[in-house]
Amino acid sequence: MTVDNAIFDQELSAKNFTMLRSFIEKSCGIKLADTKKSMVEGRLRKRIRALGMSGYKEYLDYVMALENGAAEQLHLIDVITTNKTEFFRENNHFESMTNQILPLLADKGFGSLQQLKLWSCASSTGEEPYTMAMVMAEFFGIRGNFAVYATDINTAVLETGRKAIYTEEKAQSIPFDLKKKYMLRSVERADKLVRFRPEIRSKVKFARNNLKENKYVVPEKIDIAFCRNVIIYFDTPTQEMILNKICSYIRPGGYLFLGHSESVHGMTLPLKTFSPTIYIRT
Ligand SMILES: C[S@@+](CC[C@H](N)C(=O)[O-])C[C@H]1O[C@@H](n2cnc3c(N)ncnc32)[C@H](O)[C@@H]1O
């Protein structure tokens, strides 16, 4: 068998990297620094080989062409985005939900008489929205009146989220009692896979949503929105524009959670601080 290694010998030209960068920034807000060039080359290489193309130039001509481009642009975005996540990531957020925020909302009839609407706006492969659903189920019971909307720009990660199947290793950060309550083990034990039970799966609804676009696919009057570890990829004006749009989907009095390394410092937003990285929509 002959393996075509030509693509491994090529470099993405400075001109093509600039073109790719401005396309990515325009379409999804992600700013690719100069230092990301070799990361981009590596990720594109795999896609180019899968399509049987000769190299970066042929691929970029194809992806930027009006005719076939649109479908491939989704793949390109899938390839470029960074989807690192985990269950109970930045766990003090979930503790604040359980100990401070949910009791306040429950007192007002939310979660029982009135539905609580939660949103994970960069859900990646589902670990964040399923963690939110487990925290809600622990507080209100699995029959609690709540829904978790999980959105992301990357179509591949949404598919993983919908399947709700994870390796036992990934599920290690879920406390044992919650795993027992909300997950099922694969019949084939050797596979070392676990899956969320249908009761939890039915609480989480996945859909593609690009935060850079004008209209979002989630309903209005969201009660709790998680926008964690995504705005770090955008420049400050884009962060401010996107956070303002996200706020327009949160009801006054609702909550916004940002990642621990993210900040709204210097931005004009309809938010007041509840605790560090947790905000209330004014
Ligand atoms: C690092 S992950 C964060 C996942 C999760 N929120 C967490 O904190 O663990 C960032 C996610 O943001 C998504 N993303 C990047 N740009 C986006 C955009 N313009 N609209 C929606 N999602 C986007 C990526 O596809 C990726 O899944």
Side-chain angles (χ1 to χ4, degrees):
M1 190 177 77
T2 39
V3 178
D4 178 12
N5 275 324
I7 179 80
F8 290 105
D9 302 331
Q10 292 179 18
E11 244 193 65
L12 181 62
S13 70
K15 188 175 148 224
N16 282 338
F17 183 53
T18 305
M19 180 173 77
L20 184 72
R21 256 205 315 211
S22 61
F23 166 76
I24 293 291
E25 189 175 351
K26 205 164 143 226
S27 57
C28 49
I30 298 172
K31 255 192 120 62
L32 292 167
D34 286 340
T35 51
K36 297 282 181 210
K37 186 163 172 276
S38 56
M39 180 274 283
V40 170
E41 281 174 344
R43 291 186 183 180
L44 283 187
R45 232 177 252 148
K46 224 172 132 194
R47 181 73 192 147
I48 292 169
R49 293 193 74 170
L51 291 169
M53 290 183 175
S54 61
Y56 299 112
K57 181 161 181 334
E58 186 184 352
Y59 179 73
L60 289 175
D61 286 346
Y62 176 74
V63 88
M64 299 301 165
L66 287 179
E67 256 171 62
N68 319 308
E72 186 52 34
Q73 284 167 11
L74 291 184
H75 282 290
L76 174 60
I77 292 170
D78 286 3
V79 166
I80 296 297
T81 53
T82 298
N83 314 111
K84 184 190 170 313
T85 185
E86 59 186 285
F87 292 106
F88 288 92
R89 183 178 193 181
E90 300 175 5
N91 188 33
N92 74 316
H93 280 160
F94 299 104
E95 286 169 353
S96 295
M97 254 177 85
T98 303
N99 300 326
Q100 295 172 280
I101 295 170
L102 297 182
L104 291 172
L105 293 171
D107 277 350
K108 294 182 183 149
F110 284 103
S112 51
L113 297 173
Q114 216 173 324
Q115 190 186 53
L116 264 175
K117 294 196 285 269
L118 285 79
W119 177 24
S120 162
C121 78
S123 66
S124 188
T125 34
E127 286 83 339
E128 181 177 273
Y130 285 119
T131 303
M132 293 159 85
M134 285 188 282
V135 167
M136 293 296 287
E138 282 299 283
F139 193 91
F140 292 104
I142 191 67
R143 290 176 188 279
N145 194 0
F146 67 89
V148 181
Y149 298 93
T151 64
D152 200 284
I153 197 170
N154 181 317
T155 54
V157 296
L158 290 167
E159 220 22 64
T160 304
R162 278 190 199 104
K163 285 190 188 129
I165 299 172
Y166 299 92
T167 60
E168 282 179 6
E169 197 191 338
K170 271 229 136 199
Q172 255 174 11
S173 48
I174 305 175
F176 180 71
D177 54 327
L178 300 193
K179 239 185 318 204
K180 235 174 110 182
K181 228 193 266 185
Y182 301 119
M183 299 190 104
L184 296 163
R185 267 188 162 169
S186 152
V187 191
E188 293 296 330
R189 284 290 156 87
D191 291 349
K192 294 190 183 302
L193 296 175
V194 284
R195 186 178 197 195
F196 281 102
R197 287 179 182 271
E199 304 88 283
I200 279 283
R201 290 198 323 254
S202 68
K203 293 289 194 188
V204 186
K205 299 176 196 339
F206 288 90
R208 185 174 188 269
N209 186 65
N210 181 353
L211 293 169
K212 187 86 195 298
E213 266 161 30
N214 281 335
K215 247 186 103 46
Y216 293 166
V217 301
V218 291
E220 288 177 346
K221 301 199 176 129
I222 292 286
D223 300 289
I224 299 177
F226 274 52
C227 177
R228 305 191 312 165
N229 305 304
V230 60
I231 62 163
I232 30 162
Y233 300 107
F234 310 145
D235 63 16
T236 312
T238 310
Q239 290 182 346
E240 186 169 3
M241 182 192 74
I242 285 176
L243 287 174
N244 263 304
K245 248 186 295 172
I246 290 173
C247 285
S248 72
Y249 283 83
I250 304 175
R251 68 163 173 82
Y255 296 82
L256 174 69
F257 289 65
L258 294 186
H260 284 173
S261 58
E262 294 163 327
S263 146
V264 295
H265 186 73
M267 297 182 201
T268 307
L269 297 167
L271 293 173
K272 62 180 185 208
T273 304
F274 175 76
S275 63
T277 67
I278 306 180
Y279 304 89
I280 299 183
R281 163 81 157 92
T282 53

